[in-house]
């Protein structure tokens, strides 16, 4: 069945280091969304990408959608302690919508 | 402030005892979703309403039902909770087409004794 996998599952970084999470789908996605969920919180929408090869930036965050629309990445430059949380990609394929498995980011001050 | 509200935030029920979780929204969004999220896992979509049209995910157990009496409110009914149904239940809304940017409520944590 459809799976949206993310790697790594966990990442510990020193504050100031960069961080990247990768999202891979077994099927082509119509779009890709990224959400952040703080510990004990609920998912919060970050961005949506629709076009093949699309790149979007939000301050220190860079989002990419792969050419084949099966993968995506989120890169954070110079992490801060406020970046702590789990980052989920989520995508639509046909009439179905799946969240990725998530990457839990810990930032060590 | 416009928002998605879930009540209660914590719910304890007994094995097999029906329970209803509530969600309301002041965003006037036409799509409402229910997700189940277990510890350290991704949210799993159970079903959604596009306006009044109910859309059930293929693998959502029959034990889970939903009602949407009007635009603002949506309910999740668990007819006979099992121990495996203990989880965080998240309500979300979106505007326009299905699976657009989703706004999540704070969730209801369900404990089954």
């Amino acid at each position: 069945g459809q799976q949206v996998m993310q790697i790594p599952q966990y990442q510990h970084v020193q504050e100031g280091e960069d961080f990247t999470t990768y999202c891979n789908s077994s099927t082509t996605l119509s779009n890709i969304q990224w959400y952040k969920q703080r510990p004990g919180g609920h998912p919060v929408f970050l961005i949506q990408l629709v076009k093949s090869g699309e790149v979007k930036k939000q301050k220190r965050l860079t989002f990419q959608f792969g050419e084949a629309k099966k993968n995506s990445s989120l890169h954070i430059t110079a992490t801060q302690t406020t970046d702590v949380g789990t980052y989920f990609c989520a995508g639509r394929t046909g009439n179905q919508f799946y969240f990725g498995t998530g990457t839990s980011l810990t930032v060590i001050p | 402030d416009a928002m998605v509200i879930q009540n209660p935030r914590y719910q304890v029920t007994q094995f097999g005892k029906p329970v209803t979780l509530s969600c309301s929204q002041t965003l006037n969004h036409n799509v409402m979703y229910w997700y189940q999220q277990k510890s350290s896992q991704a949210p799993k979509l159970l079903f959604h309403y596009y306006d009044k049209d109910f859309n059930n995910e293929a693998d959502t157990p029959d034990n889970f039902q939903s009602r949407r009496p009007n635009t603002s409110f949506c309910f999740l009914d668990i007819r006979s909770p099992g121990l495996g149904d203990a989880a965080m239940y998240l309500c979300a809304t979106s505007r326009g087409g299905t699976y657009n940017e989703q706004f999540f409520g704070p969730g209801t944590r369900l404990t089954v004794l």
Side-chain angles (χ1 to χ4, degrees):
Chain A
Q2 164 69 19
Q3 286 195 4
V4 182
M5 306 297 292
Q6 285 182 248
I7 54 171
Q9 186 177 0
Y10 302 97
Q11 184 78 60
H12 291 68
V13 299
Q14 205 74 35
E15 187 174 17
E17 291 182 338
D18 293 356
F19 160 76
T20 304
T21 172
Y22 299 91
C23 173
N24 296 288
S25 169
S26 57
T27 59
T28 303
L29 300 170
S30 303
N31 62 18
I32 193 85
Q33 298 172 357
W34 284 91
Y35 291 82
K36 176 184 178 181
Q37 186 172 23
R38 294 180 184 271
H42 57 274
V44 175
F45 176 84
L46 295 176
I47 207 158
Q48 175 170 286
L49 305 171
V50 178
K51 298 177 183 176
S52 170
E54 189 170 10
V55 178
K56 286 189 177 180
K57 292 190 175 185
Q58 286 180 351
K59 297 183 180 178
R60 295 178 294 106
L61 278 60
T62 302
F63 305 84
Q64 290 188 319
F65 199 10
E67 294 289 341
K69 301 183 79 173
K70 285 188 173 184
N71 55 70
S72 181
S73 65
L74 158 59
H75 179 82
I76 302 179
T77 304
T79 55
Q80 300 174 359
T81 55
T82 53
D83 295 326
V84 165
T86 300
Y87 292 85
F88 291 102
C89 64
R92 175 177 186 166
T93 176
N95 289 325
Q96 301 199 294
F97 187 78
Y98 299 95
F99 269 76
T101 49
T103 296
S104 176
L105 174 64
T106 300
V107 180
I108 305 163
Chain B
D1 288 340
M3 57 193 340
V4 182
I5 302 160
Q6 290 188 246
N7 285 306
R9 295 293 308 277
Y10 301 90
Q11 177 74 57
V12 180
T13 191
Q14 291 181 327
F15 183 93
K17 185 176 181 180
V19 66
T20 295
L21 308 182
S22 300
C23 177
S24 64
Q25 54 129 341
T26 60
L27 296 163
N28 202 32
H29 286 173
N30 58 313
V31 190
M32 294 187 76
Y33 311 80
W34 278 104
Y35 288 86
Q36 180 192 64
Q37 186 176 29
K38 296 188 176 181
S39 182
S40 300
Q41 295 185 20
K44 181 180 181 302
L45 183 62
L46 297 174
F47 26 59
H48 74 272
Y49 275 93
Y50 182 92
D51 295 323
K52 294 183 179 179
D53 293 334
F54 177 71
N55 296 270
N56 197 30
E57 294 300 300
D59 56 355
T60 297
D62 292 340
N63 198 25
F64 292 85
Q65 303 286 321
S66 185
R67 297 169 284 136
R68 188 179 186 186
N70 53 54
T71 300
S72 302
F73 286 86
C74 197
F75 301 98
L76 170 61
D77 300 308
I78 308 177
R79 293 193 295 191
S80 182
L83 298 179
D85 296 328
M88 177 71 81
Y89 289 88
L90 295 162
C91 174
T93 71
S94 69
R95 180 169 56 95
T98 313
Y99 309 135
N100 287 345
E101 172 185 353
Q102 293 179 44
F103 294 79
F104 283 81
T108 294
R109 182 163 296 284
L110 178 68
T111 300
V112 181
L113 301 178

